[in-house]
């Protein structure tokens, strides 16, 4: 028998084993999972489509644990080396390919700052630790208004690989215990018992952390381990579940399928997740898998076994890896719209099918990193030399990895977008003639430009334009104490004329402009700012960090007392437009406006004893972040945004509250927009450094407008 015959024989044996263990309904579950995830990410519907990842976790735990137990039962031992070889050949080729392509495409399309952040994500991804990196970054308040990383979806792969660093070792230990046990209990019982322990402990921790640290809970391996362990429990209970009668199986399949779709339709991203609400998609997935254990088919599962659905399930790993970079990078280059959706779906389909048939499947069918035995080791070196398909695949994979390393290491600086000009910005001087307002003329000019002008500062490095007062170290923002007597002092320190800016991060982002406006007039300027805490006497909801809502409730009375104690001449109030959507009551529309007006009125009344002139300054309209819309192939039109409905709703509520309390309301929309259209730059000055906050340069650019508005 030749080496080639032996290789073919080994492949036939592997194919026969795969066929005997093949579950078309599980492939169908994979298809549903990936379709839900893509629909959520691309169309933002269903809102709970992200539960597709949870479905994947259960499937993975079931299949991997079943494989490990079968090997343990068959041979009486487990080869950890073979396990990791199988994982590497299954995961690495396509994941490295997508990683390399994403980094390369990002270097061509995106601004330097955003590309550098993606390079950092790439290194964390290569180490299978990107979930912890994202958890840490996600706790940074300012990340909320910045575009997502095209590598963000690798977090789920990182969770799996971290789980599988430990899980096989635990099964080896359980196998040893089972072999030495006097009771001679089968391995399955030990695995089932341990899986129950993992589920209880991990689910309990997920319950706690989902409430107290939702962002960390979403990405944490410790809060997700119970989902993989749920699949493991199914695998360990296979003997028992194989005795189910057909009626029960069909009922389980129906309830499970409906439960998965119901989860996607009902679950909202703002709910506590992954626990307890994550139990709904997990239990539903378990029901579908359990229904098919020990039988060839379950009638009620037929929608999952239709050929096109099974094929999508077969491609699901490649499809999952490709879909998110395509969505993120293509939206940056094209913006949203019908053409974007068509191109996105087409591109992710082409890339998925190509990578599966040209990379993923050839490697899985080859001997590359295939599990070894004593018999196969002797001829592996010879078969490797003769297997040209394997050589080609591996050589291609090495080239891809090398290309990625070169892109990351060399990183030649691309041509800048909105390059820096030496021309300093000129302040937008106030005018008494609205028809000939130079600022309005500059805004109109910006809206009509077909290319980016030279800007000062440039769009590369724009995040450095975050106001210095927004740094916690300034004492103006997120301070431990509301006493600002000895901190956050700007302008003419010690002056009898004083002004205080109060609000959330958007309010504090006005500080460079307020200081530039009032310092020449002799004012000392201070600020109180708490993230996600608008200056209204109402309870707020902060799902990503509930502790912020508690801090708002505790800090607000202290701010009232401090303002009344300091007795400033001017109090400037400003906060983010989306605050009106974050009321703890959940009110929307007219009800939210009414509650906001009452809360704002109460807050303004609470500082009335200070005797200050109160100015309610509307926020700058929210728009696209420069890093999101400005690319190497984009035009200024891609960065134009519209004034949102909620901005108008908040304006009306604030205006009414100001009228009730004799405060001054200032509509700032004309400082940023014309006819509801808002450019990303005005003159040669970028307007925002992210989606919500003005740049230091633009705040100073419109300082004359601020001075005129707050000193009338």
């Amino acid at each position: 028998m030749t080496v080639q015959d032996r290789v073919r024989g080994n492949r036939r044996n592997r194919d026969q084993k795969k066929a005997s263990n093949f579950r078309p309904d599980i492939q169908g579950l994979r298809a549903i999972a990936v379709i839900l995830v893509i629909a959520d990410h691309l169309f933002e519907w269903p809102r709970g489509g992200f539960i597709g990842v949870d479905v994947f976790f259960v499937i993975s735990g079931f299949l991997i644990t079943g494989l490990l137990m079968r090997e343990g039962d068959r041979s009486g031992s487990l080869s950890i080396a073979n396990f990791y070889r199988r994982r590497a050949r299954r995961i690495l080729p396509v994941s490295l390919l997508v990683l390399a392509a994403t980094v390369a495409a990002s270097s061509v399309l995106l601004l330097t700052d955003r590309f550098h952040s993606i390079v950092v994500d790439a290194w964390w991804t290569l180490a299978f630790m990107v979930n912890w990196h994202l958890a840490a970054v996600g706790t940074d308040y300012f990340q909320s208004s910045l575009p997502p990383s095209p590598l963000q979806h690798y977090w789920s792969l990182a969770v799996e690989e971290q789980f599988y660093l430990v899980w096989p070792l635990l099964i080896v230990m359980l196998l040893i215990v089972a072999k030495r046990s006097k009771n001679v209990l089968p391995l399955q019982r030990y695995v089932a018992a341990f899986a129950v322990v993992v589920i209880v402990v991990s689910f309990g921790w997920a319950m706690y952390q989902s409430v107290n640290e939702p962002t960390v809970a979403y990405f944490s391996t410790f809060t997700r381990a119970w989902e993989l362990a749920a699949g493991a429990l199914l695998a360990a209970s296979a003997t028992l579940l194989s005795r189910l009668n057909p009626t029960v199986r069909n009922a389980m399949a129906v309830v499970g399928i409906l439960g998965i779709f119901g989860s996607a339709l009902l679950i909202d991203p703002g709910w506590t997740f992954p626990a307890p609400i994550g139990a709904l998609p997990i239990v539903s997935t378990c029901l579908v898998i359990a229904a098919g254990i020990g039988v060839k088919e379950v009638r009620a599962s037929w929608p999952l076994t239709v050929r096109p659905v099974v094929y999508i399930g077969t491609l699901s790993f490649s499809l999952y890896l490709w879909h998110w970079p395509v969505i993120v990078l293509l939206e940056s280059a094209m913006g949203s719209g019908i053409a974007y959706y068509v191109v996105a779906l087409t591109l992710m389909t082409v890339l998925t099918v190509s990578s599966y048939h040209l990379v993923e499947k050839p490697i899985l069918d080859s001997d590359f990193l295939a599990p070894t035995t004593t018999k196969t080791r002797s001829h592996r070196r010879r078969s490797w030399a003769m297997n040209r398909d394997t050589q080609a695949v591996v050589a291609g994979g090495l080239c891809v990895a090398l290309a990625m390393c070169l892109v990351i290491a060399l990183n030649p600086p691309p041509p800048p977008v909105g390059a820096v000009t030496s021309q300093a910005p000129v302040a937008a001087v106030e005018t008494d003639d609205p028809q000939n307002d130079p600022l309005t003329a500059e805004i109109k000019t910006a809206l009509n430009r077909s290319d980016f002008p030279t800007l000062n500062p440039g769009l590369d490095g724009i995040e450095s334009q975050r106001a210095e007062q927004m740094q916690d170290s300034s004492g103006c923002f997120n301070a431990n104490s509301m006493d600002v007597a000895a901190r956050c002092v700007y302008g003419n320190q010690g002056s009898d004329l004083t002004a205080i800016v109060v609000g959330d991060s958007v309010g504090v982002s006005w500080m460079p402009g307020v200081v530039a406006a009032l310092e020449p007039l002799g004012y000392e300027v201070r600020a109180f700012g708490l993230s996600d805490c608008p200056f209204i006497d109402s309870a707020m909801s902060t799902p990503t960090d509930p502790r912020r809502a508690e801090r708002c409730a505790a800090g607000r009375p202290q701010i009232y007392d401090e303002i009344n104690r300091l007795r400033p001449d001017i109090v400037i109030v400003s906060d983010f437009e989306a605050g009106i959507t974050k009321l703890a009551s959940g009110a929307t529309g007219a009800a939210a406006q009414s509650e906001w007006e009452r809360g704002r009125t109460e807050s303004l009344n609470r500082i009335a004893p200070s005797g200050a002139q109160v100015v309610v300054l509307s926020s700058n309209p929210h728009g696209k972040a420069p890093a999101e819309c400005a690319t190497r192939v984009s035009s200024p039109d891609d960065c134009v945004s519209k004034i949102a409905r909620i901005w108008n709703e908040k304006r009306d509520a604030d205006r009414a509250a100001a009228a009730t309390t004799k405060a001054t309301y200032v509509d700032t929309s004309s400082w940023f927009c014309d006819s509801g259209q808002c450019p990303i730059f005005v003159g040669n000055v970028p307007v925002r450094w992210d989606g919500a906050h003005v740049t230091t340069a633009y705040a100073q650019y419109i300082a004359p407008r601020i001075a005129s508005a707050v000193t009338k």
Side-chain angles (χ1 to χ4, degrees):
M1 180 182 292
T2 65
V3 172
Q4 290 93 333
D5 291 335
R6 263 185 246 170
V7 170
R8 293 191 192 99
N10 290 336
R11 288 180 181 174
R12 275 196 303 272
N13 291 336
R14 286 201 301 268
D15 291 342
Q16 289 170 359
K17 289 180 181 179
K18 288 180 182 178
S20 64
N21 295 320
F22 181 70
R23 288 273 305 268
D25 57 331
I26 287 182
Q27 293 296 76
L29 276 177
R30 283 175 165 153
I32 289 177
V34 77
I35 289 171
L36 287 175
V37 170
I38 292 173
D40 179 20
H41 288 164
L42 184 60
F43 304 109
E44 297 185 357
W45 188 92
R47 293 285 287 161
F50 59 88
I51 61 97
V53 173
D54 303 84
V55 175
F56 279 128
F57 283 155
V58 178
I59 294 172
S60 178
F62 172 74
L63 294 177
I64 296 299
T65 304
L67 182 150
L68 290 170
M69 289 194 306
R70 284 193 297 274
E71 181 180 344
D73 288 336
R74 183 177 63 251
S75 63
S77 64
L78 283 177
S79 171
I80 298 298
N82 277 345
F83 173 79
Y84 291 129
R85 291 170 71 91
R86 284 191 295 264
R87 292 301 294 168
R89 75 197 234 107
R90 178 74 182 89
I91 297 297
L92 290 181
V94 179
S95 63
L96 286 177
L97 171 64
V98 176
L99 185 62
T102 302
V103 172
S106 298
S107 71
V108 173
L109 287 174
L110 303 181
L111 300 183
T112 303
D113 265 12
R114 190 177 178 194
F115 172 65
H116 285 163
S117 71
I118 291 170
V119 169
V120 172
D121 294 339
W123 287 118
W124 284 100
T125 300
L126 282 172
F128 290 104
M129 293 290 287
V130 72
N131 60 318
W132 295 110
H133 170 62
L134 292 171
V137 171
T139 58
D140 181 352
Y141 171 77
F142 300 111
Q143 294 294 326
S144 61
S145 293
L146 295 173
S149 167
L151 299 175
Q152 181 172 298
H153 63 316
Y154 273 86
W155 75 268
S156 61
L157 197 58
V159 167
E160 281 198 28
E161 297 317 301
Q162 289 162 32
F163 182 82
Y164 291 132
L165 277 176
V166 178
W167 189 245
L169 300 176
L170 292 174
I171 293 183
V172 168
M173 294 172 58
L174 294 174
L175 181 61
I176 294 172
V177 171
K179 290 168 68 175
R180 295 181 178 178
S181 173
K182 294 180 180 179
N183 297 325
V184 197
L185 295 176
L187 174 62
Q188 286 83 351
R189 291 195 183 183
Y190 287 98
V191 174
F194 202 84
V196 169
V197 172
V198 174
I199 290 170
V200 171
V201 174
S202 175
F203 186 79
W205 178 244
M207 286 274 288
Y208 171 80
Q209 201 162 42
S210 294
V211 172
N212 293 281
E213 294 181 290
T215 302
V216 177
Y218 190 85
F219 293 114
S220 170
T221 306
F222 302 115
T223 57
R224 295 288 188 163
W226 68 276
E227 303 183 11
L228 290 136
L233 180 59
L234 283 179
S237 307
T239 302
L240 180 64
L241 293 171
S242 63
R243 301 170 188 166
L244 295 172
N245 66 58
T247 302
V248 173
R249 290 179 185 277
N250 283 297
M252 290 170 64
V254 170
V255 173
I257 293 171
L258 292 177
I260 292 172
F261 283 107
S263 299
L265 293 170
L266 296 175
I267 293 177
D268 186 88
W271 294 4
T272 51
F273 203 89
I277 197 63
L280 180 57
I282 296 301
V283 171
S284 299
T285 305
C286 287
L287 287 173
V288 177
I289 295 175
I293 292 176
V295 294
K296 289 185 177 181
E297 64 176 359
V298 177
R299 283 189 178 181
S301 297
W302 71 265
L304 304 178
T305 61
V306 178
R307 268 193 175 182
V309 176
V310 172
Y311 181 66
I312 294 174
T314 303
L315 302 177
S316 60
F317 181 60
S318 287
L319 182 54
Y320 177 79
L321 289 178
W322 281 115
H323 89 280
W324 184 242
V326 167
I327 288 172
V328 172
L329 297 179
L330 199 63
E331 186 174 21
S332 293
M334 293 183 63
S336 57
I338 299 298
Y340 159 71
Y341 295 122
V342 172
V343 174
L345 288 170
T346 302
L347 185 58
M348 68 178 69
T349 299
V350 170
L351 290 171
T352 296
V353 172
S354 299
S355 65
Y356 174 76
H357 288 287
L358 298 178
V359 178
E360 184 178 352
K361 191 173 186 301
I363 286 183
L364 291 176
D365 289 343
S366 74
D367 286 333
F368 177 61
L369 287 179
T372 62
T373 64
T374 304
K375 293 180 180 180
T376 59
R377 288 192 192 102
S378 61
H379 74 268
R380 179 60 54 85
R381 295 188 185 89
R382 296 192 301 274
S383 66
W384 170 257
M386 300 299 293
N387 192 335
R388 294 183 179 181
D389 291 341
T390 302
Q391 284 183 322
V393 169
V394 175
L398 291 174
C399 289
V400 166
L402 178 61
M404 181 184 66
C405 292
L406 289 174
V407 168
I408 294 175
L410 301 179
N411 184 24
V417 175
V420 179
T421 175
S422 59
Q423 180 184 355
V426 179
V429 180
E430 182 68 281
T431 177
D432 294 327
D433 182 7
Q435 300 300 319
N436 296 296
D437 185 353
L439 181 59
T440 301
E442 290 281 13
I443 292 172
K444 289 182 177 180
T445 299
L447 289 169
N448 290 323
R449 284 199 67 113
S450 59
D451 60 343
F452 285 95
T454 51
L455 301 175
N456 186 13
L459 294 181
D460 274 324
I462 194 64
E463 289 177 41
S464 65
Q465 279 292 300
R466 177 189 301 180
E468 66 175 85
Q469 293 85 0
M470 294 178 70
Q471 307 291 345
D472 291 353
S473 59
S474 70
C476 304
F477 191 56
N478 288 336
N480 293 327
S481 168
M482 293 302 104
D483 178 7
V484 295
R487 58 181 174 79
C488 190
V489 183
Y490 291 82
N492 292 278
Q493 299 183 22
S495 172
D496 292 335
L497 293 172
T498 58
I500 292 178
V501 176
V502 65
D504 56 14
S505 64
V506 167
V508 177
S509 72
W510 283 106
M511 274 292 283
V514 173
V515 173
L518 298 184
E519 184 176 21
L521 301 179
Y523 281 83
E524 176 186 272
V525 184
R526 301 172 185 264
F528 298 97
L530 292 173
S531 56
D532 275 343
C533 295
F535 194 64
I536 65 167
D537 206 71
S538 295
M540 303 303 295
S541 173
T542 55
T544 58
D545 188 352
R547 292 170 298 183
R548 287 181 182 168
E550 297 171 4
R551 184 182 56 191
C552 290
R556 203 174 287 120
Q558 298 177 48
I559 295 175
Y560 299 150
D561 293 343
E562 189 70 2
I563 291 175
N564 290 329
R565 184 184 70 80
L566 292 173
R567 298 183 62 82
D569 297 278
I570 301 173
V571 173
I572 300 169
V573 178
S574 188
D575 27 52
F576 184 34
E577 67 183 56
I580 198 171
T581 68
K582 297 182 178 182
L583 298 168
S585 65
T588 59
Q593 284 183 279
S594 179
E595 182 177 343
W596 185 275
E597 180 184 342
R598 289 194 303 271
R600 181 75 89 192
T601 299
E602 179 61 22
S603 286
L604 299 184
N605 283 333
R606 292 285 297 274
I607 62 172
S610 70
Q613 173 196 348
V614 178
V615 178
V616 180
L617 196 67
S618 75
S619 64
N620 56 293
H622 186 275
K624 299 175 183 177
E628 177 185 8
C629 62
T631 68
R632 309 295 163 193
V633 297
S634 62
S635 67
D637 283 346
D638 297 318
C639 292
V640 172
S641 55
K642 297 180 181 179
I643 297 178
R645 173 183 52 81
I646 59 171
W647 191 94
N648 292 321
E649 291 177 355
K650 181 173 176 292
R651 174 201 60 195
D652 294 342
D654 278 339
R655 183 176 284 158
T660 301
T661 58
K662 309 301 181 184
T664 300
Y665 178 78
V666 179
D667 183 339
T668 65
S669 59
S670 63
W671 302 354
F672 300 92
C673 314
D674 180 65
S675 301
Q677 301 287 311
C678 314
I680 195 65
F681 60 86
V682 176
N684 67 325
V685 186
V687 173
R688 295 180 307 278
W689 61 267
D690 69 349
H693 306 89
V694 293
T695 62
T696 294
Y698 196 75
Q700 293 169 340
Y701 179 70
I702 57 176
R705 304 300 170 104
I706 298 173
S708 176
V710 303
T711 58
K712 284 183 179 178

